[in-house]
Amino acid sequence: MTHPVQTSIINHSRLYANNYYLNLYQAFINTEDGEVYEYEIEADTFHDATEKAEEYAFSLGVDITYIEVYHMV
């Protein structure tokens, strides 16, 4: 008689070994027309997330009032 055994590969994976966790940021791009565009951004630092949000804002081709970036917990 055989018994199935299930083991977790997460404990032995590279993600677990390096203690790598996703850094997610939420960006809101507010336009002069009152529209708000929302993005989820994966970045290493707050600075990198802000730069990516600015790139997204530039690609929209609209007049930007301000950009908000928040770290998602």
Side-chain angles (χ1 to χ4, degrees):
M1 178 180 230
T2 60
H3 297 283
V5 177
Q6 182 178 0
T7 59
S8 174
I9 61 170
I10 295 175
N11 291 339
H12 305 292
S13 72
R14 192 171 150 197
L15 293 176
Y16 183 78
N18 291 337
N19 293 330
Y20 178 78
Y21 299 100
L22 294 177
N23 283 324
L24 292 177
Y25 296 86
Q26 192 170 19
F28 297 97
I29 300 170
N30 298 282
T31 67
E32 289 184 357
D33 296 332
E35 297 176 339
V36 178
Y37 297 89
E38 181 179 350
Y39 296 95
E40 284 187 2
I41 300 171
E42 180 181 347
D44 292 329
T45 63
F46 184 81
H47 177 73
D48 293 339
T50 304
E51 284 183 348
K52 288 182 182 181
E54 289 175 350
E55 290 173 10
Y56 292 148
F58 181 73
S59 70
L60 291 174
V62 296
D63 294 327
I64 305 299
T65 306
Y66 58 95
I67 299 172
E68 301 171 79
V69 179
Y70 301 101
H71 187 259
M72 296 176 64
V73 180

